[in-house]
């Protein structure tokens, strides 16, 4: 059974940093691109970052480029999202996902609240 | 960046009715289009991938189609378990983009 389990969320002040982790199991982690997607309270889905299976390439929308960094440790089957210079608009549930294929998996999500 | 214009924003339909939701891509995305259903407090669930392929375990009343750069999700006979918010996602090129969502309710 595929599982994606996120951790690391919480309340953080504007301008500070937070690092999310996602432990994957049930599939060969280093065969797949991985993606972070977020959803602000009561809002739609927003793609945040993707990383290729080797970690050699990463992709971001302009809204987080330069502030967020996606990375992975294939030996630990773990995906990360380093979030710096956090803003109130980054408040959201963050999902670790394996998407863009016939089989599609999402974690349960982890809440990040940016507030003073 | 590729824009995905989804319509309608909300929809109320009767049980057994046919429902159609559309996403218009701002440029060619081939068949790199997926449809998701999200229920309150839950992670989104994949319904359709590759524009027209039904995901595993999804009822056959759901179908996807493509006409040029317009993509449609059809529910052939609306059931009581179908309300939720539906999103399209283009996976053709980064930044990958979601439609704004369609809230589907039972009338």
């Amino acid at each position: 059974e595929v599982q994606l389990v996120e951790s690391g969320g919480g309340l953080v002040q504007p301008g500070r940093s937070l690092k999310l982790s996602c432990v994957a199991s049930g599939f060969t982690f280093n065969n797949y691109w991985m993606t972070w997607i977020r959803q602000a309270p009561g809002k739609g889905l927003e793609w945040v970052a993707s990383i290729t299976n080797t970690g050699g390439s990463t992709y971001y929308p302009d809204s987080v480029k330069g502030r967020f960094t996606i990375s992975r440790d294939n030996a630990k089957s773990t995906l990360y999202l380093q979030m710096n210079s956090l803003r109130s608009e980054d408040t959201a549930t963050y999902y670790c996902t394996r998407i863009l294929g016939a089989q599609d998996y999402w974690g349960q999500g982890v809440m990040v609240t940016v507030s003073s | 960046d590729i824009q995905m214009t989804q319509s309608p924003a909300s929809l109320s339909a009767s049980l057994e009715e046919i429902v159609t939701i559309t996403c218009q891509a701002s440029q060619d995305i081939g068949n790199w289009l997926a449809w998701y259903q999200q229920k309150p407090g839950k992670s989104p669930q994949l319904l359709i991938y590759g524009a027209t392929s039904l995901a595993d375990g999804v009822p056959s009343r759901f179908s996807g189609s493509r006409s040029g750069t317009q993509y449609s999700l059809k529910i052939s006979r609306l059931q009581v378990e179908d309300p939720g918010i539906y999103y399209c996602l283009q996976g053709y090129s980064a930044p990958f983009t979601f439609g704004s969502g369609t809230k589907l309710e039972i009338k």
Side-chain angles (χ1 to χ4, degrees), chain B:
Chain B
D1 297 358
I2 298 173
Q3 308 301 318
M4 301 301 297
T5 303
Q6 186 171 344
S7 62
S10 63
L11 179 56
S12 181
S14 302
L15 291 175
E16 303 290 323
E17 191 173 331
I18 297 172
V19 169
T20 302
I21 298 167
T22 63
C23 271
Q24 178 70 48
S26 60
Q27 64 186 75
D28 180 31
I29 60 169
N31 285 330
W32 287 92
L33 191 285
W35 289 98
Y36 290 88
Q37 176 196 62
Q38 187 178 30
K39 298 192 176 182
K42 300 292 188 182
S43 303
Q45 296 294 309
L46 180 67
L47 300 173
I48 301 289
Y49 65 95
T52 60
S53 298
L54 196 65
D56 288 347
V58 175
S60 58
R61 64 180 181 275
F62 291 91
S63 64
S65 64
R66 170 192 174 189
S67 176
T69 57
Q70 180 164 292
Y71 300 81
S72 298
L73 173 71
K74 185 171 93 169
I75 308 173
S76 60
R77 293 170 58 187
L78 191 65
Q79 300 296 300
V80 66
E81 61 267 31
D82 295 338
I85 301 178
Y86 290 78
Y87 297 94
C88 63
L89 167 66
Q90 70 83 13
Y92 178 77
S93 69
F96 307 119
T97 41
F98 287 91
S100 53
T102 296
K103 185 174 184 179
L104 174 61
E105 298 177 327
I106 301 288
K107 194 181 293 182

Side-chain angles (χ1 to χ4, degrees), chain A residues 1 6-7 11 13-14 26 28 34-35 45 48-49 51 54 70-71 74 76 80 94 100 103 115:
Chain A
E1 179 194 6
E6 303 100 335
S7 61
L11 174 64
Q13 293 179 326
T28 305
M34 295 296 293
T35 295
L45 299 168
V48 172
I51 187 168
T54 62
I70 188 173
S71 62
N74 283 344
K76 295 182 178 179
Y80 302 101
Y94 286 73
L100 301 176
Q103 292 176 321
S115 175

Side-chain angles (χ1 to χ4, degrees), chain A residues 51-62:
Chain A
I51 187 168
T52 58
N53 60 314
T54 62
S57 294
T58 57
Y59 305 89
Y60 308 92
D62 287 345

